[in-house]
Amino acid sequence: MLKQIEGSFAVAEAIALCRPEVICAYPITPQTHIVERLSELVRTGDVGNCQYINVESEFAALSVAIGASAAGARAYTATSSQGLLFMAEAVYNASGLGLPIVMTIGNRAIGAPINIWNDHSDSMALRDAGWIQLYAETNQDAVDLHIQAFRLAEQLSVPVMVCEDGFILTHACEQVDMPDSEQVDSYLPPFEPVQVLDPAEPITMGAMVGPEAFTEVRYLAHHKHLRAIEVIPELSTEFEHIFGRNTGGLIEPYRSEDAETVIVALGSVVGTIKDVVDEMRDEGVSLGAVKVVSFRPFPLLALREALQNAKRVIVVEKCLADGLGGIVVGSVRMSLRGTSTPVYTIIAGLGGRAITKKSLRRAFNEAVADRLEDPHFLDLDWKVIDHELARSQEKRRSGPIAENILRELGLVGGKPV
Amino acid sequence: MSQRIKFYQTGTLTVGNRLLDAKDRTVQATLDRGNSLTSGHRACQGCGEALGARYVVDAAMRWADNRVVAVNATGCLEVFSTPYPESSWQVPWIHSLFGNAPAVATGVRAALRAKGRTDVKVLAQGGDGGTVDIGFGCLSGMFERNDDVLYVCYDNEAYMNTGVQRSSRTPPAARTATTPPVGNSSGNVFGQGKNAALIAMAHNIPYVATASVADLHDLEEKVTKAMGIDGARYIHVHVPCPLGWGSPPHDTIRLARLAVETGLFALFEAEDGEVSDVTHIRRRLPVEEYLKPQRRFAHLFRPQTDADAIGQIQSIADRNIEKFGLIGRNG
């Protein structure tokens, strides 16, 4: 049913349709609306037999989910940014224990400087924590990917993060085709755990493993992700049969088959990139795009195939490895190993900076002419950078950089000193 | 409450079940005990925690007719009981992290409730580090929500699993690997202390108790009582550690008893935030009696007696005795 709805509410309603048995909630912007809406849905009985637990930290939120999942319940939580880092230890633990928890990440920057707006620093920081990571381009994606996430998680006994851009998606009202409960029930069977804490059959979970078997345990986790590479497209196909939409899969190419230049990106910025591709195509530039839906596991072969005709590749990403450049680009380059295809990195949208079509066009044109520096920081204000670098060289106690820059921009306080 | 059975033996430290009617004997004394923490584990000889845990889990299992799920924090108890590929646990058992056992237990409880399994009880346990330090946020959250979990802390007064470093339960002046008595310093600082049972009581949870491996009947009785109560419950068990305290393995029970008899470890129960019962000291002893047999306090007696430090420790014991009324009429 088509519904004009805020992204967070759409996700909350999709979660409710998946009938989680335990939901753990701790507020952090911008995911908060999801758990707020779920608290209502649980109290009105729309989630069925579900325990909603307000906890005292994100570390506790995921820990409660770990206990619930180990006891055989379908468990869900959501977080963002600092919250994800605060629960980092439990993030690794959940995957290590093989617990199929689903967690929404309302993607947000990591401080300092504290910043509540969107980029991918949070989920990227935990990209190799053993969780599957699916990135949503639209709120329709977000809704559909959550339904697939429970199925995928429970089929493979591996936790899944569904990452959606904070504010850009979580707080955007747009039309979403909301599934009905019959559809979801036919797609997502009740959770049948492979291991469960049951007095009738006592097992030990979380035993210590030393050097004699640790590598084997870790390999089996690797193996699960390799299996996920096969399972994710299958689940997407099955999803399409029931819901009529081909959401998901590993990647989604857009006019990339014959394109000389292919842009690789994940999340909501793909929508903007598609518009730019259309416009520049109209102007005769041979451009296409590939959306990466599954970042972990990374679809090395599928992406390699999608990029095989490209003369150059541009990765647009909302995260930064200081001193190195992009993070996504490393995996993209790995998928292109053995080829001589040049790969450019555009770092964009950090801390919620708007990524405009105009700026993307300028950068894409530079790349098409093979003039783009790598990495390229989209819309970087060099005046501010140069001023701050000069100022900090003048005296040792130059003060906090963030505040100095705000002063330089005239946003706070007096004039720069 | 049933009448407390007291043992007034002198000249021996053996407290025999044989002196009791069969129905009053400990769960451990029965042939059909659960052996939830069964033999073959790697605990040190004389480990107070292994002893305490065995009594606690079996008493809980007895009460719940074996329908118990146990959650364990990282620590000695976890490490010595589950070296891959072996496990000493004959109870569904999960270890997740050092600081999240209360939250994991909340999750297990929530799952069982969602599935209508209210017959299964949830027991969480950890050492003093996992409980009173790194897990304290989760513990307080579990208390505040009054989640239906019995949490048991085995307090051996330092991080023993990592090699005897100071915890917030380490007593003043004690030597640990991170509080060495060097120069003029006399081991651990004289801080304010951290009485987790009192903090638990401040949450007004239905049941809080302290217990000691010196009185295993009392420990079992408290576990049994706690199992019959709904909501968040906390039992703080004093468990000497021969390795960390520098004491002979055969002195574990004796030291636990001396901690009680000197007033350094007060045994009490509290219901709904109010102290409801106190175990009185039968024969009050000076703290030196407790300190002297332990190498962690040896620097207080050699090369010369540190009367100042010992005096301060005595005043802590005196304050406990006064605060909890440990010298009673029938004491």
Side-chain angles (χ1 to χ4, degrees):
Chain A
M1 185 186 70
L2 286 176
K3 202 168 176 182
Q4 187 73 15
I5 187 169
E6 184 188 303
S8 296
F9 293 170
V11 165
E13 290 179 20
I15 296 300
L17 290 169
C18 294
R19 304 180 193 274
E21 293 160 292
V22 176
I23 295 172
C24 330
Y26 189 80
I28 183 168
T29 304
Q31 66 73 37
T32 315
H33 287 185
I34 299 171
V35 291
E36 284 178 5
R37 178 71 181 126
L38 277 168
S39 74
E40 279 179 355
L41 292 168
V42 170
R43 289 188 177 209
T44 52
D46 287 294
V47 194
N49 204 358
C50 179
Q51 299 286 310
Y52 185 97
I53 319 268
N54 280 293
V55 292
E56 71 286 347
S57 74
E58 288 91 355
F59 177 62
L62 190 53
S63 298
V64 169
I66 285 170
S69 187
R74 183 170 287 164
Y76 170 81
T77 189
T79 193
S80 298
S81 183
Q82 319 293 141
L84 183 63
L85 295 197
F86 196 63
M87 64 164 73
E89 192 190 9
V91 172
Y92 278 83
N93 191 251
S95 57
L97 290 170
L99 299 173
I101 297 160
V102 171
M103 174 161 65
T104 307
I105 308 297
N107 282 114
R108 165 183 154 182
I110 300 276
I114 186 169
N115 176 300
I116 62 166
W117 293 277
N118 166 244
D119 68 33
H120 290 165
S121 308
D122 48 5
S123 51
M124 285 297 162
L126 288 170
R127 64 190 178 277
D128 293 318
W131 288 53
I132 286 170
Q133 288 193 338
L134 307 176
Y135 285 77
E137 176 193 344
T138 62
N139 283 334
Q140 187 69 61
D141 262 8
V143 163
D144 296 349
L145 288 177
H146 276 98
I147 297 165
Q148 295 183 21
F150 280 106
R151 178 78 189 276
L152 176 64
E154 290 168 13
Q155 187 164 329
L156 296 175
S157 292
V158 64
V160 180
M161 284 181 207
V162 180
C163 306
E164 52 173 323
D165 287 324
F167 293 110
I168 297 169
L169 293 181
T170 57
H171 288 56
C173 281
E174 58 182 13
Q175 208 173 51
V176 176
D177 190 355
M178 291 304 295
D180 58 47
S181 59
E182 289 77 26
Q183 288 174 314
V184 177
D185 287 346
S186 67
Y187 182 76
L188 181 63
F191 175 33
E192 278 293 337
V194 296
Q195 51 179 356
V196 65
L197 296 168
D198 179 4
E201 202 183 321
I203 55 164
T204 291
M205 290 176 70
M208 188 177 210
V209 176
E212 68 281 8
F214 197 77
T215 307
E216 284 69 25
V217 172
R218 297 294 301 126
Y219 180 83
L220 289 168
H222 175 63
H223 179 78
K224 271 187 195 176
H225 276 238
L226 295 182
R227 275 288 295 139
I229 295 269
E230 297 162 20
V231 171
I232 288 169
E234 292 165 11
L235 291 182
S236 172
T237 305
E238 198 181 323
F239 186 88
E240 189 175 4
H241 288 316
I242 295 172
F243 298 86
R245 289 183 299 279
N246 66 344
T247 309
L250 297 165
I251 57 170
E252 188 189 301
Y254 183 78
R255 303 183 77 172
S256 63
E257 215 163 286
D258 60 339
E260 288 183 3
T261 303
V262 178
I263 300 140
V264 176
L266 29 81
S268 63
V269 73
V270 172
T272 316
I273 290 169
K274 283 176 180 171
D275 284 352
V276 176
V277 164
D278 289 345
E279 289 174 16
M280 290 178 70
R281 278 256 175 184
D282 289 348
E283 294 157 16
V285 183
S286 177
L287 207 59
V290 175
K291 168 168 90 174
V292 174
V293 180
S294 169
F295 182 66
R296 286 294 182 267
F298 193 80
L300 289 172
L301 289 178
L303 189 65
R304 186 185 179 86
E305 264 173 45
L307 298 177
Q308 63 184 348
N309 297 327
K311 289 197 175 140
R312 67 184 67 76
V313 171
I314 306 169
V315 178
V316 177
E317 54 180 306
K318 294 181 173 183
C319 49
L320 172 66
D322 299 348
L324 181 64
I327 293 172
V328 178
V329 70
S331 298
V332 174
R333 286 207 169 98
M334 201 167 162
S335 77
L336 288 170
R337 69 190 147 183
T339 72
S340 55
T341 314
V343 181
Y344 299 94
T345 321
I346 298 175
I347 309 293
L350 298 186
R353 176 166 295 185
I355 302 175
T356 64
K357 289 199 288 184
K358 191 177 157 193
S359 299
L360 285 178
R361 283 175 67 106
R362 194 168 53 226
F364 293 166
N365 276 321
E366 289 293 298
V368 166
D370 287 320
R371 285 197 306 257
L372 194 70
E373 77 279 13
D374 182 40
H376 175 75
F377 289 78
L378 197 71
D379 296 335
L380 189 66
D381 189 338
W382 281 106
K383 193 168 140 279
V384 169
I385 299 287
D386 291 340
H387 181 272
E388 180 58 18
L389 288 176
R391 206 188 58 77
S392 63
Q393 275 178 355
E394 271 169 29
K395 55 178 176 180
R396 174 74 195 156
R397 187 172 290 190
S398 53
I401 286 174
E403 285 74 359
N404 287 332
I405 285 181
L406 292 176
R407 204 172 282 132
E408 164 73 8
L409 292 168
L411 296 174
V412 294
K415 283 271 113 191
V417 285
Chain B
M1 195 182 136
S2 64
Q3 181 167 357
R4 189 187 296 280
I5 293 146
K6 295 186 176 176
F7 298 95
Y8 292 125
Q9 291 162 279
T10 51
T12 171
L13 295 168
T14 309
V15 176
N17 277 291
R18 66 186 189 281
L19 300 175
L20 296 172
D21 291 341
K23 67 175 173 51
D24 292 326
R25 293 179 187 175
T26 58
V27 174
Q28 282 305 309
T30 59
L31 286 173
D32 62 341
R33 67 185 184 203
N35 280 325
S36 313
L37 174 61
T38 199
S39 59
H41 58 67
R42 265 71 152 177
C44 306
Q45 201 176 30
C47 174
E49 185 173 37
L51 178 67
R54 193 152 59 84
Y55 273 72
V56 165
V57 185
D58 275 355
M61 289 280 273
R62 164 65 64 91
W63 188 92
D65 198 15
N66 293 340
R67 288 189 294 270
V68 172
V69 173
V71 177
N72 219 119
T74 309
C76 281
L77 180 59
E78 167 262 324
V79 170
F80 76 61
S81 63
T82 59
Y84 174 88
E86 294 158 5
S87 172
S88 282
W89 296 102
Q90 306 203 76
V91 55
W93 182 94
I94 182 170
H95 157 247
S96 173
L97 295 168
F98 199 5
N100 72 353
V104 173
T106 291
V108 172
R109 176 77 271 165
L112 292 168
R113 182 164 290 152
K115 292 177 177 302
R117 290 296 305 271
T118 46
D119 58 319
V120 181
K121 303 295 275 184
V122 182
L123 171 73
Q125 48 189 358
D128 49 299
T131 305
V132 180
D133 283 348
I134 198 169
F136 212 52
C138 287
L139 187 69
S140 176
M142 191 271 275
F143 288 161
E144 174 274 320
R145 291 184 302 268
N146 199 26
D147 293 329
D148 189 24
V149 171
L150 168 58
Y151 192 99
V152 180
C153 171
Y154 304 103
D155 179 7
N156 55 21
E157 303 187 334
Y159 290 88
M160 301 314 186
N161 187 42
T162 44
V164 198
Q165 296 82 18
R166 175 200 188 272
S167 81
S168 62
R169 285 294 305 160
T170 299
R175 168 201 287 273
T176 69
T178 51
T179 57
V182 175
N184 290 329
S185 102
S186 63
N188 190 28
V189 291
F190 280 80
Q192 295 299 107
K194 189 168 182 181
N195 190 319
L198 291 180
I199 303 172
M201 283 166 60
H203 293 74
N204 290 323
I205 57 174
Y207 186 74
V208 174
T210 59
S212 167
V213 288
D215 190 342
L216 293 162
H217 284 266
D218 181 60
L219 173 60
E220 278 194 355
E221 199 175 290
K222 284 168 174 168
V223 170
T224 304
K225 185 169 179 179
M227 288 297 287
I229 297 170
D230 292 330
R233 294 141 285 149
Y234 181 72
I235 301 180
H236 191 99
V237 191
H238 200 221
V239 292
C241 168
L243 174 81
W245 294 15
S247 55
H250 59 254
D251 268 354
T252 294
I253 302 293
R254 183 165 82 97
L255 284 173
R257 181 170 298 135
L258 286 168
V260 173
E261 298 283 287
T262 52
L264 282 171
F265 193 85
L267 295 179
F268 62 94
E269 288 178 287
E271 290 171 51
D272 302 318
E274 303 295 334
V275 173
S276 57
D277 196 14
V278 171
T279 302
H280 295 126
I281 295 173
R282 182 157 63 95
R283 194 172 43 149
R284 183 179 182 175
L285 296 168
V287 294
E288 284 96 327
E289 301 274 322
Y290 171 68
L291 302 174
K292 260 189 184 158
Q294 304 180 49
R295 264 204 320 280
R296 63 174 173 162
F297 295 114
H299 54 282
L300 299 183
F301 301 96
R302 286 189 302 274
Q304 65 272 344
T305 304
D306 187 342
D308 183 43
I310 295 170
Q312 286 189 65
I313 296 170
Q314 183 61 55
S315 65
I316 292 169
D318 294 346
R319 186 170 146 65
N320 270 346
I321 287 168
E322 190 185 345
K323 182 181 174 70
F324 293 101
L326 297 179
I327 307 291
R329 288 182 307 278
N330 56 353

